[in-house]
């Protein structure tokens, strides 16, 4: 895809320059203190809260005209949310866009980390609904801030304890809490815990929560440990199937209901990854003959 | 013997009004002290200042820490004081809801303090939680129930288990039997008394119920309008009160 | 060697702050000395101050003047914890009424003073079994709380408790009241044994025969009654 001019009615990437500077300052602070939630003056965006206003603001603050942007929602490039955000930046920033993970310099994501490994030169921007991992157990913001400041993370384990007590295993399957660089406990946004190991990466990872007005970050090559108990260690898990389209046995899968008779299929949630494998000739259980 | 807690000239004012004034006492290891007085006498203010929940205006609260010996807790850094609050100190609230996490199971409520001081083995945590529940007479099969499903007396016993699981040396109790039925109160008192003896706990109990202090406290402090008016051995203060206010307090108890 | 219990020039009055500050003097110039192995009976009319003096010895009432010493504890002016230590280790008290927490089994009620004084679990229980058996408290009751017992049974549990730890000094308030002849003899035997091992005992005995049997001396507390203000 080629770069185009952005709509001159908008400033580059929608936000005004002062706002972008404010967000960049917050981003720098967040990178300097990995896992720490930096408050920022979140702006009203032309989309509802919950649709990625935090991520969009972070992306806007990071984009340069030379960037190539990829937007995914649950791993897919072709869902409504991904398409509209991509179009938003095509129009307001005129940047090039792509669906290929390895071609993108900035990737905004909701609820997934791409299967293909990310590396230096790439920025992964997460949309975050609730940045505070302690929130569901401790409703007071004053108290949770103090708990982070004093590294009082016993409460985080209370949640995991409850999982085991009620389900026999840690049943938290997404937004699985992690400890960043041995210091701050962080909510990795609602990515499946399957993706947690990929939080240790060569890319810059930025997290934006628009409604909650928080930004946090994981710099490249930072240690990220998923919390667990000695006798119930962390296990990244996925559906026990292969992708029905590309046959991959190691990627994260979506379950798709195909008819009213209980028919279903499992497909890679990362559409780009799956398409690339199919292009390479990999086949799954339900691949049509014509794909060959 | 070094006192576990040395309180010196503790004063708390609310503007022009006195919360508690010039309170001084020593509490020795294994001693249980009752603070009695009517509502508004300053006993809760005093307890909150002692436990670090409220900053006093003047005075010292010197605790004999395990690591460094006697330290004024009021000059401790906040992390140190909070650490004390989940290790050597415990606080039993009058309303169990203030001292429990109502949204998580009984086991997690007890286990939280263990996890807060670094326990990371689920099996061990659960075993200790079950052990403590049985010590406060809560059946093992209730370990995964939330406190919401418990009666008032059970909630209070759960709060006590949650507080004592880390083996604190000093327990603050604010009307621990308040709001409970008389029969439930008796059971709770008996339990508390046993635990205090068995663990050699020091405790400071605020209450307006003289029967509670007669059963639990070694010594008494009687407060009126923010000031301590009388102190002494519990049975001596109750049977031979010297101050007019104490005499009034003792004679006002309804006989059954 | 100094006497185990020494009382000199002790006075006591009650001030009723809520009744116009009325001062009621109840005792003045009380003096008493009890040697080890000696049993002294307090006598005098009802209201003469026998119980008041006992309570002051035990630290339950505050003396207004004078000195009370038990062993090496200066009771007048002692800190609460010193009094409590004295009550655990030095001075036992058999009152007329059993005052215990509901739900605690009889055996533990009796053994508790042994444990409080530092005795082992087994020691306390053995002592409790021995005493309960001697005082003819049926064994089937030992695991029950004494709060449900008859008056006589409660009194025997109370005595067993009082004698469980071998205190060097003891206060006995009507120890033989409401007992049948058999148990009365057992109690008198216990008192004799305590004396024989060197306990200093102060007692109130309305039972003149019992008093004559175990007491070495009598002290009439009427002599300590203050002059009433006209």
């Amino acid at each position: 895809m080629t770069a185009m001019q952005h709509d001159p009615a908008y400033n580059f990437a929608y936000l005004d320059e002062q706002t972008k500077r404010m967000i960049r300052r917050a981003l720098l602070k967040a990178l300097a203190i990995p896992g720490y939630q930096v408050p920022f003056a979140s702006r009203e965006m032309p989309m509802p809260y919950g649709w990625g206003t935090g991520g969009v603001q972070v992306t806007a603050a990071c984009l340069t005209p030379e960037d190539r942007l990829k937007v995914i929602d649950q791993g897919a490039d072709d869902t409504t949310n991904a398409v509209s955000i991509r179009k938003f930046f095509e129009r307001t920033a005129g940047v090039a866009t792509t669906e290929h993970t390895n071609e993108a310099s900035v990737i905004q994501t909701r609820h997934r980390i791409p299967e293909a490994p990310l590396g230096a030169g790439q920025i992964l921007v997460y949309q975050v609904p609730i940045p505070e991992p302690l929130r569901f157990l401790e409703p007071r913001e004053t108290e949770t801030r103090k708990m982070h400041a004093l590294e009082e993370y016993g409460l985080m384990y209370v949640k995991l304890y409850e999982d085991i007590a009620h389900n026999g295993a840690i049943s938290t399957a997404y937004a699985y809490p992690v400890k960043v660089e041995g210091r701050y406990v962080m909510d990795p946004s609602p990515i499946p815990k399957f993706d947690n190991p990929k939080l240790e990466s060569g890319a810059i990872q930025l997290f934006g929560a628009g409604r909650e007005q928080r930004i946090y970050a994981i710099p490249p090559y930072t240690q990220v440990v998923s919390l667990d108990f000695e006798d119930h260690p962390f296990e990244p898990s996925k559906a026990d199937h292969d992708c029905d389209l590309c046959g991959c046995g190691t990627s994260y899968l979506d379950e798709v209901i195909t008819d009213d008779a209980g028919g279903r299929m499992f497909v890679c949630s990362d559409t780009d990854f799956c398409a690339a494998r199919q292009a390479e000739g990999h086949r799954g259980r339900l691949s049509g003959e014509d794909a060959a | 013997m070094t006192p576990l807690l040395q309180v010196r000239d503790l004063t708390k004012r609310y503007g022009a009004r006195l919360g508690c004034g010039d309170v001084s006492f020593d509490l020795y290891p294994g001693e249980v002290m009752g603070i009695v007085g009517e509502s508004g006498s300053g006993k809760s203010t005093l307890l909150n200042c002692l436990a670090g929940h409220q900053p006093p205006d003047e005075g010292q609260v010197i605790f004999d820490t395990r690591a460094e010996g006697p330290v004024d807790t009021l000059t401790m850094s906040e992390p140190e004081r909070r650490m004390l609050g989940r290790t050597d100190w415990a606080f039993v609230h009058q309303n169990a809801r203030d001292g429990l996490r109502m949204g998580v199971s009984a086991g997690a409520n007890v286990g939280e303090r263990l996890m807060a001081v670094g326990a990371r083995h689920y099996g061990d945590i659960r075993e200790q939680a079950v052990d403590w529940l049985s010590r406060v007479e809560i059946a093992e099969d209730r370990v995964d129930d939330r406190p919401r499903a418990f009666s008032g007396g059970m909630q209070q016993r759960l709060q006590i288990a949650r507080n004592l699981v880390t083996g604190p040396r000093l327990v603050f109790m604010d009307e621990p039997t308040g709001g409970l039925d008389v029969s439930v109160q008796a059971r709770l008192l008996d339990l508390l008394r046993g635990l205090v003896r068995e663990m050699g706990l020091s405790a400071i109990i605020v209450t307006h119920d003289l029967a509670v202090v007669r059963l639990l406290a070694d010594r008494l402090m009687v407060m009126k309008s923010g000031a301590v008016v009388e102190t002494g051995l519990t049975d001596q203060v109750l049977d031979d009160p010297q101050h007019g206010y104490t005499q009034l307090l003792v004679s006002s108890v309804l006989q059954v | 060697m100094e006497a185990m219990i020494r009382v000199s020039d002790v006075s006591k009055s009650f001030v009723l702050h809520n009744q116009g500050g009325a001062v009621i003097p109840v005792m003045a110039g009380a003096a008493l000395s009890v040697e080890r192995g000696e049993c002294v009976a307090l006598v005098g009319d009802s209201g003469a101050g026998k119980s008041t003096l006992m309570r002051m010895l035990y630290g339950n009432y505050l003396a207004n003047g004078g000195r009370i010493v038990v062993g090496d504890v200066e009771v007048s002016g002692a800190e609460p914890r010193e009094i409590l230590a004295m009550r655990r280790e030095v001075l036992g008290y058999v009152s007329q009424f059993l005052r215990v927490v509901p739900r605690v089994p009889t055996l533990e009620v009796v053994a508790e003073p042994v444990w409080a004084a530092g005795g082992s679990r087994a020691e306390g229980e053995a002592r409790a079994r021995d005493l309960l058996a001697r005082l003819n408290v049926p064994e089937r009751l030992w695991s029950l709380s004494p709060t449900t017992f008859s008056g006589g049974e409660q009194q025997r549990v109370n005595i067993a408790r009082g004698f469980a730890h071998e205190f060097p000094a003891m206060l006995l308030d009507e120890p033989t009241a409401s007992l049948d002849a058999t148990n009365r003899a057992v109690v008198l035997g216990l008192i004799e044994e305590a004396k024989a091992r060197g306990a200093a005992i102060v007692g109130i005995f309305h039972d003149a025969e019992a008093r004559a049997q175990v007491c070495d001396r009598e002290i009439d507390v009427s002599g300590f009654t203050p002059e009433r203000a006209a």
Side-chain angles (χ1 to χ4, degrees):
Chain A
M1 283 169 218
T2 50
M4 40 199 149
Q5 275 309 114
H6 76 271
D7 185 336
Y10 294 101
N11 190 39
F12 177 75
Y14 184 77
L15 291 173
D16 65 274
E17 293 306 311
Q18 290 305 321
T19 296
K20 286 191 278 184
R21 288 178 68 181
M22 175 272 292
I23 294 173
R24 286 175 197 142
R25 279 196 293 270
L27 287 171
L28 288 174
K29 182 168 179 181
L31 282 162
I33 317 171
Y36 171 72
Q37 298 167 46
V38 182
F40 82 109
S42 179
R43 297 292 194 250
E44 290 292 328
M45 297 303 285
M47 58 172 66
Y49 288 126
W51 286 51
T53 54
V56 163
Q57 290 179 76
V58 171
T59 300
C62 290
L63 280 180
T64 66
E66 295 74 37
D67 272 315
R68 189 175 285 268
L69 177 70
K70 170 182 164 79
V71 182
I72 51 173
D73 176 2
Q74 305 267 23
D77 293 87
D78 54 0
T79 53
T80 314
N81 196 220
V83 170
S84 12
I85 291 174
R86 194 161 58 231
K87 287 209 166 142
F88 174 77
F89 282 114
E90 278 173 358
R91 180 169 170 195
T92 62
V95 291
T97 55
T98 177
E99 295 193 357
H100 301 308
T101 301
N102 53 1
E103 286 175 9
S105 57
V106 176
I107 304 172
Q108 178 168 338
T109 177
R110 172 176 173 270
H111 300 192
R112 272 310 309 276
I113 298 176
E115 301 290 350
L118 301 176
Q122 289 184 301
I123 297 176
L124 184 59
V125 177
Y126 295 78
Q127 300 171 202
V128 181
I130 294 170
E132 179 49 71
L134 300 162
R135 178 64 67 241
F136 290 104
L137 292 156
E138 177 50 69
R140 291 168 296 178
E141 173 74 11
T142 48
E143 186 63 18
T144 53
R145 282 212 200 186
K146 207 167 269 183
M147 291 161 90
H148 282 295
L150 303 179
E151 254 183 288
E152 291 181 5
Y153 290 130
L155 194 56
M156 207 65 252
Y157 287 88
V158 168
K159 183 176 185 309
L160 302 180
Y161 172 97
E162 284 293 87
D163 270 3
I164 304 174
H166 293 293
N167 305 307
I170 298 178
S171 56
T172 300
Y174 62 94
Y176 193 104
V178 294
K179 195 168 206 179
V180 181
E181 201 62 18
R183 179 57 181 85
Y184 284 96
V185 165
M186 190 193 92
D187 181 339
S189 87
I191 58 170
K193 66 176 170 182
F194 173 83
D195 282 344
N196 271 22
K198 287 184 272 178
L199 288 163
E200 287 189 348
S201 135
I204 292 176
Q205 299 174 78
L206 306 175
F207 298 78
R211 179 181 43 207
E212 302 288 324
Q213 311 195 321
R214 293 290 183 277
I215 281 173
Y216 51 101
I218 303 175
Y221 308 110
T222 299
Q223 182 199 53
V224 181
V225 178
S226 303
L227 302 184
D228 60 4
F229 286 107
E230 289 159 16
D231 49 344
H232 287 267
F234 170 76
E235 279 172 27
S237 61
K238 63 181 277 284
D240 193 15
H241 290 272
D242 294 338
C243 174
D244 286 330
L245 295 180
C246 76
C248 182
T250 55
S251 65
Y252 191 73
L253 301 173
D254 285 339
E255 184 177 1
V256 182
I257 306 296
T258 52
D259 55 36
D260 286 345
R264 53 186 188 156
M265 64 188 290
F266 288 91
V267 295
C268 292
S269 99
D270 186 334
T271 50
D272 170 52
F273 176 79
C274 198
R277 276 180 55 87
Q278 290 179 64
E280 286 166 17
H282 295 283
R283 290 292 171 269
R285 182 175 64 96
L286 299 177
S287 300
E289 292 303 317
D290 55 317
Chain B
M1 188 162 52
T2 316
L4 188 66
L5 193 71
Q6 302 173 59
V7 177
R8 297 287 172 269
D9 308 316
L10 204 67
T11 300
K12 172 76 184 174
R13 291 186 199 85
Y14 299 106
R17 198 164 56 79
L18 185 70
C20 61
D22 284 326
V23 179
S24 297
F25 66 89
D26 288 342
L27 188 76
Y28 284 83
E31 247 184 341
V32 178
M33 187 173 86
I35 303 176
V36 296
E38 62 199 0
S39 300
S41 59
K43 53 190 199 300
S44 291
T45 295
L46 175 60
L47 192 75
N48 284 324
C49 287
L50 293 174
H53 295 174
Q54 253 183 327
D57 295 313
E58 288 159 42
Q60 295 176 297
V61 178
I62 301 163
F63 181 70
D64 186 19
T65 61
R66 286 182 212 238
E68 294 162 54
V71 176
D72 184 358
T73 58
L74 300 176
T75 61
M76 274 184 179
S77 66
E78 193 176 9
E80 286 176 305
R81 197 158 54 230
R82 283 172 70 109
M83 181 53 118
L84 201 59
R86 53 179 197 267
T87 53
D88 268 352
W89 284 14
F91 197 104
V92 176
H93 295 264
Q94 169 172 11
N95 190 339
R97 284 161 187 277
D98 296 335
L100 291 175
R101 284 195 196 280
M102 301 304 283
V104 303
S105 69
N109 264 288
V110 178
E112 182 180 345
R113 261 175 90 105
L114 295 170
M115 294 183 252
V117 295
R120 294 289 180 266
H121 190 285
Y122 173 83
D124 292 350
I125 293 165
R126 192 171 172 84
E127 197 177 309
Q128 284 204 55
V130 167
D131 175 48
W132 265 97
L133 289 180
S134 75
R135 289 174 77 168
V136 298
E137 302 170 11
I138 295 175
E140 182 171 351
D141 62 8
R142 303 301 301 270
V143 65
D144 293 330
D145 292 350
R146 293 184 177 176
R148 273 186 233 292
F150 288 3
S151 67
M154 273 174 82
Q155 288 183 2
Q156 198 58 295
R157 294 201 303 272
L158 176 62
Q159 192 193 180
I160 287 163
R162 171 180 160 89
N163 269 286
L164 298 188
V165 66
T166 49
R169 290 190 294 154
L170 177 59
V171 185
F172 300 99
M173 299 189 210
D174 187 6
E175 303 273 11
T177 59
L180 298 178
D181 287 345
V182 179
S183 61
V184 177
Q185 270 189 28
R187 184 174 178 194
L188 186 71
L189 282 176
D190 175 29
L191 180 81
L192 272 176
R193 184 173 155 277
L195 290 171
V196 163
R197 299 257 164 108
E198 202 179 303
M199 299 176 72
L201 291 176
S202 300
I204 297 178
I205 302 173
V206 159
T207 178
H208 60 264
D209 188 338
L210 298 182
V212 169
V213 287
R214 189 178 288 269
L215 204 59
L216 285 179
D218 299 320
R219 48 193 275 235
L220 271 196
M221 197 150 112
V222 184
M223 292 190 73
K224 182 181 192 297
S225 314
V228 176
V229 296
E230 184 166 356
T231 63
L233 194 66
T234 301
D235 59 281
Q236 182 261 301
V237 172
L238 295 181
D239 294 343
D240 185 17
Q242 305 294 303
H243 191 275
Y245 176 67
T246 318
Q247 291 181 354
L248 189 66
L249 207 61
V250 170
S251 64
S252 307
V253 175
L254 294 174
Q255 301 292 325
V256 179
Chain C
M1 200 154 61
E2 268 193 304
M4 189 67 196
I5 299 173
R6 284 163 284 150
V7 176
S8 57
D9 198 27
V10 163
S11 58
K12 171 74 188 164
S13 50
F14 291 104
V15 183
L16 307 181
H17 293 281
N18 299 301
Q19 290 169 47
V23 179
I24 305 173
V26 293
M27 193 165 288
L32 175 70
S33 171
V34 186
E35 299 293 336
R36 286 170 176 77
E38 191 182 27
C39 179
V40 172
L42 300 182
V43 297
D45 295 338
S46 189
K50 301 186 292 291
S51 291
T52 301
L53 184 56
M54 293 266 271
R55 282 165 172 260
M56 283 194 286
L57 283 167
Y58 201 55
N60 179 231
Y61 278 5
L62 221 51
N64 298 116
R67 257 188 104 194
I68 298 172
V69 181
V70 177
D72 47 16
V73 181
E74 183 99 33
V75 177
S76 30
E79 288 290 323
R81 64 197 168 88
E82 295 170 318
I83 303 263
L84 290 172
M86 174 189 84
R87 290 179 183 180
R88 273 196 305 272
E89 287 149 27
V90 183
L91 184 64
Y93 186 27
V94 180
S95 65
Q96 287 189 65
F97 304 101
L98 184 66
R99 193 178 223 166
V100 292
V101 191
R103 298 210 307 160
V104 181
T106 297
L107 196 73
E108 289 185 25
V109 167
V110 176
E112 212 232 313
V114 179
W115 298 333
S120 71
R121 195 92 204 154
E123 239 173 290
E125 278 176 18
R127 182 76 180 147
R129 285 172 192 287
D130 177 43
L131 283 166
L132 287 170
R134 278 180 75 179
L135 285 157
N136 305 301
V137 178
E139 188 161 353
R140 65 188 156 77
L141 298 182
W142 295 0
S143 58
L144 306 176
S145 165
T147 42
T148 53
F149 293 3
S150 72
E153 281 162 348
Q154 286 199 10
Q155 174 62 354
R156 279 177 278 150
V157 171
N158 198 24
I159 289 166
R161 180 180 160 88
F163 281 91
H165 174 59
E166 299 194 335
F167 288 104
M170 293 188 79
L171 304 173
L172 309 177
D173 189 356
E174 296 275 14
T176 56
S178 72
L179 292 184
D180 58 43
T182 320
N183 286 310
R184 178 172 165 276
V186 175
V187 173
L188 294 178
L190 287 171
I191 298 172
E192 298 280 12
E193 283 169 31
K195 281 174 67 181
R197 64 173 164 78
I201 300 173
V202 177
I204 300 172
F205 299 86
H206 282 165
D207 175 351
E209 243 177 83
R211 188 163 69 219
Q213 190 184 325
V214 295
C215 294
D216 305 291
R217 279 190 292 139
E218 289 183 4
I219 289 178
D220 188 348
V221 295
S222 318
F224 309 144
T225 308
E227 305 283 317
R228 299 273 177 198

